[in-house]
Amino acid sequence: MNEALLRSLTPSVLGILVRRGADFAAAEDAVQDALVEAVRVWPADPPRDPKGWLITAAWRKFLDATRAETARRRREDLVDEEPAPGPAPSADDTLQLYFLCAHPSLTPSSAVALTLRAVGGLTTRQIARAYLVPEATMAQRISRAKRTVSGVRFDRPGDVATVLRVLYLVFNEGYSGDVDLAAEAIRLTRQLAAAIDHPEVSGLLALMLLHHARRAGRTASDGSLVPLAEQDRTRWDTGSIAEGVEILQAALARDRLGEFQAQAAIAALHADAPTAEETDWVQIVEWYDELAGLTDNPVVRLNRAVAIGEADGPRAGLAALATLDDSLPRHTAAAAYLHERAGDLTTAARLYAEAAGKAPTLPERDHLTRQAARLNAREHR
């Protein structure tokens, strides 16, 4: 055992944990626990990357301690929150409405559209954007769904897969703007997870928690978007990340992989990276391969192309992107990013400006416009 190596690595590992959101005392305890583990394990099984091994072990020790402390506090809170004697309040029936709107007489896509409109509170335009179809087409689909269920009895609830799809889309709309909407989707998915033992329900809950944990880092003080690679990871909610990873690991252990579990695995790899540079892009591409096999979603293939650009270089990413329909939302933005990575700043600036004109939200448009201006300024120096 190289004790000098361990001593030399300790300050660096400690600093990384603190930057990831651990307070100094907790980080110090976690690093000490990891060092003890290294002394026990390394003589028989020395790691190829000692620093990486220590970072991973220390972070897991920190998460374990955080979960234990959170559980202890929750137990104490539950004692304080014990309801007073008297009639129990009526149960929230929102989730039941989701199931009823996902009626078996409807196709899954129509059931999702109707539920999003009638219960989820989304506009027809928002739903159309989520489905990548014109607003008029979605309006007709919702109208047909209403006519279909107008004469049926709502005594047969729909299936879990349809309800999960609705909750996923509601969360996505909330994650893009309305925080309360995202929180409501998480609340309902928690209810569903408590009521149904299903790995995809757990996968969706884990996915929501892992994405929502990064919410504070997604925008700057002026409201502008901050790309994932530039986010201040100390602003991420480590408690939600720990909970999401724990739920995901339990779901994956059941060996019934679904698309939400695969998406959550990708989100977990992003959350687990101490810095953007340390992101395990090779494994992320592998999970995108799994996801593409589970769903023929063109957006998945778009994201996979970007991940390939990170793992294998921007030219490989551009080659993967070239196989996709260039009318896909954010296709132009992805091409701009990969061209910039490849050093073609002129093309990248032009594509950023073009992507800004197609952006679905004002913050995204402003971000892409700034990217174009930044590259144009560099070229004219």
Side-chain angles (χ1 to χ4, degrees), residues 19 33 181 195 205 235 247 260 295 308 310 337 344 356-357 376:
R19 288 197 298 273
D33 289 342
L181 198 60
L205 179 57
R235 300 184 66 195
I247 292 170
F260 294 124
T295 174
I308 288 173
E310 299 286 0
Y337 173 73
D344 186 354
N376 283 327

Side-chain angles (χ1 to χ4, degrees), residues 264-277:
I266 293 168
L269 286 167
H270 283 298
D272 192 50
T275 65
E277 292 74 23

Side-chain angles (χ1 to χ4, degrees), residues 266-303:
I266 293 168
L269 286 167
H270 283 298
D272 192 50
T275 65
E277 292 74 23
E278 295 174 86
T279 303
D280 189 345
W281 286 106
V282 172
Q283 195 173 165
I284 286 174
V285 171
E286 292 173 356
W287 275 111
Y288 271 122
D289 289 339
E290 293 277 2
L291 188 54
L294 292 165
T295 174
D296 191 27
N297 188 324
V299 176
V300 169
R301 299 189 183 278
L302 177 69
N303 291 334

Side-chain angles (χ1 to χ4, degrees), residues 118-254:
V119 187
L122 274 64
T123 66
T124 303
R125 177 174 298 180
Q126 288 173 313
I127 301 169
R129 187 175 64 200
Y131 271 90
L132 310 181
V133 299
E135 185 177 350
T137 300
M138 183 53 65
Q140 292 175 354
R141 184 180 299 178
I142 294 172
S143 295
R144 284 197 301 270
K146 288 179 178 178
R147 287 196 299 271
T148 299
V149 300
S150 62
V152 301
R153 292 181 59 189
F154 282 84
D155 55 359
R156 290 186 299 154
D159 66 355
V160 175
T162 301
V163 174
L164 287 179
R165 178 63 49 192
V166 175
L167 290 169
Y168 173 67
L169 292 172
V170 169
F171 176 81
N172 278 351
E173 284 298 325
Y175 188 67
S176 300
D178 189 338
V179 174
D180 290 336
L181 198 60
E184 173 68 357
I186 292 174
R187 184 184 72 84
L188 292 173
T189 306
R190 282 192 188 280
Q191 285 188 9
L192 188 58
I196 298 176
D197 183 20
H198 192 297
E200 271 294 81
V201 177
S202 298
L204 179 58
L205 179 57
L207 175 63
M208 289 179 174
L209 290 169
L210 289 164
H211 275 303
H212 206 55
R214 303 200 303 256
R215 180 177 60 84
R218 292 182 70 243
T219 54
S221 57
D222 61 359
S224 60
L225 288 182
V226 181
L228 177 60
E230 300 172 18
Q231 288 178 19
D232 178 358
R233 298 182 179 223
T234 64
R235 300 184 66 195
W236 291 359
D237 183 347
T238 55
S240 291
I241 290 173
E243 183 185 5
V245 169
E246 184 176 22
I247 292 170
L248 173 63
Q249 288 175 339
L252 291 175
R254 300 177 65 175

Side-chain angles (χ1 to χ4, degrees), residues 87-103:
S90 59
D92 179 7
D93 61 358
T94 305
L95 192 58
Q96 182 65 18
L97 289 175
Y98 273 68
F99 273 96
L100 291 177
C101 283
H103 199 272

Side-chain angles (χ1 to χ4, degrees), residues 75-91:
R75 287 193 298 270
E76 293 175 354
D77 291 342
L78 287 174
V79 172
D80 295 336
E81 294 169 4
E82 188 170 351
S90 59

